[in-house]
Amino acid sequence: MPTTMPTHDTLRRALQVLAFCCVIAVFTTMIWPDTGYARQLVYSVAIGMPTWAVIEFGRFLLPAGDGAGDADSSRDGWPKGWRGVVLTALGIAVGFFGGTRLAALLLGQTASHPRRDLLLTLLITMAAGVVASFYFHVRGRQAALQAAIAAAERDASQARLKLLQSQLEPHMLFNTLANLRALIGVDAAAAQQMLDRLDGYLRATLSASRASTHPLSAEFERLHDYLELMAIRMGPRLQYRLELPEALRELPVPPLLLQPLVENAIRHGLEPQLHGGRIDVHAAREGGVLRLTVCDTGGGFEAGEPTARDGHFGLAQVTERVLSAYGGRGHVDVQSQPGAGTTVRITLPFPGDPP
């Protein structure tokens, strides 16, 4: 299929060709010093711009590949093989024969020139046309390769995020089922209520988690559902507060970003304590970043302990997801001391802000 014409890139190449013509005029003035730079510049532009125009716009009418199996050749939009050679030769012919006459007309001169001068001008046109075509071909291929690498990196990043997310979903479910199992032998009525809530919670969570991102408000809604689910088991031992400013509700974030942190806070911070504790989750914009904070009054842990214990699987996964999703621009900080609770801060680039 013909290549779609990129207006911005075409204008950029036209300016490059114009600058190239100015340089060539310097050399031709050295060959014909009596004619002056201005006259040589007119000839250079009159020959060079039509040559470029034929090649530039002619390639949009030709298939980029040289054959059906040449998938790589279609990436940079430049015809390969004999098509590229023919198009370059056609551009040089049009530029030379048409450009010399156009320049003579603009300068009010006769179109006839000494045979030696015409031959030398033709050689210069051919050399300049081949060099310029090769330059643009290499630049186009380089840009196409860079785009392909960037696309591959995005695909790899998305695949990694999906893998991490697929690991978090069953982990969350197993933790919840373990809580339900423990409650069945203690309070059957509460277990029934928890099961009913679990059914509705899983329907909402599993359907929403299939997307790569969802609004921050949806993340907080799932947190509320999960905390209400855990409150059936823990009762007054669990207190919580969720704070989400209205201006931040629609910001896109990866699903299951905060819930694993809240699970860790309950399982390893609050549940082991006789009196339970409190969890505070809030979001805020601080300069050019979005700060998500999960703070609990649980038992805390020694520095470096979360990544070493299986119980803190969720924290490690959230850290990896943030690094993968935001290309190193996001990070997770953990502050904790035994007996003093734990605070986890997720720092993300604010959506829409430049890197």
Side-chain angles (χ1 to χ4, degrees), residues 156-237:
S157 178
Q158 288 298 321
R160 180 168 179 79
L161 287 174
K162 287 295 183 182
L163 174 61
L164 294 172
Q165 184 172 315
S166 68
Q167 293 172 334
L168 281 172
E169 290 170 4
H171 181 75
M172 174 273 299
L173 178 58
F174 294 151
N175 281 348
T176 306
L177 291 177
N179 288 328
L180 180 61
R181 182 179 182 276
L183 191 61
I184 289 176
V186 179
D187 189 341
Q192 178 64 47
Q193 183 183 1
M194 189 176 187
L195 187 60
D196 292 340
R197 274 193 172 271
L198 178 61
D199 177 69
Y201 169 76
L202 290 178
R203 290 178 185 274
T205 300
L206 295 181
S207 62
S209 65
R210 297 300 180 234
S212 59
T213 62
H214 68 176
L216 188 56
S217 59
E219 186 74 8
F220 271 72
E221 289 169 6
R222 298 289 80 77
L223 283 182
H224 178 266
D225 292 342
Y226 178 78
L227 288 166
E228 284 295 307
L229 194 60
M230 293 298 100
I232 297 175
R233 178 182 177 184
M234 296 183 63
R237 295 176 60 234

Side-chain angles (χ1 to χ4, degrees), residues 72-93:
D72 183 66
S73 64
S74 63
R75 292 178 180 174
D76 58 15
W78 290 90
K80 308 298 188 299
W82 64 269
R83 293 187 181 89
V85 174
V86 170
L87 186 60
T88 301
L90 179 62
I92 291 173

Side-chain angles (χ1 to χ4, degrees), residues 313-353:
F313 167 86
L315 178 57
Q317 295 297 85
V318 167
T319 301
E320 287 191 52
R321 293 181 73 209
V322 168
L323 291 175
S324 297
Y326 295 93
R329 297 174 59 205
H331 57 89
V332 179
D333 298 315
V334 182
Q335 295 178 348
S336 184
Q337 291 182 359
T342 302
T343 298
V344 181
R345 292 184 178 88
I346 301 177
T347 303
L348 307 177
F350 200 82
D353 285 355

Side-chain angles (χ1 to χ4, degrees), residues 25-33 40:
V26 173
F27 289 98
T28 55
T29 302
M30 296 172 63
I31 297 174
W32 294 288
Q40 291 301 323

Side-chain angles (χ1 to χ4, degrees), residues 268-269 273 296-306 309 312 334-343:
H268 304 289
Q273 298 191 127
D296 70 73
T297 60
F301 50 81
E302 294 289 350
E305 187 179 355
R309 285 170 39 184
H312 289 275
V334 182
Q335 295 178 348
S336 184
Q337 291 182 359
T342 302
T343 298

Side-chain angles (χ1 to χ4, degrees), residues 236-257:
R237 295 176 60 234
L238 174 61
Q239 301 177 24
Y240 68 88
R241 181 178 62 181
L242 305 178
E243 293 183 0
L244 175 61
E246 187 67 29
L248 305 179
R249 291 181 59 84
E250 298 305 316
L251 294 182
V253 295
L256 296 175
L257 188 63

Side-chain angles (χ1 to χ4, degrees), residues 52 62 68 97 128 134 140 143 169 231 258-259 261 265 276 284 293 300 302 307 330 351:
W52 165 79
L62 297 176
F97 292 105
F134 181 75
E169 290 170 4
L258 296 175
Q259 181 176 299
L261 304 180
T293 305
E302 294 289 350
T307 56

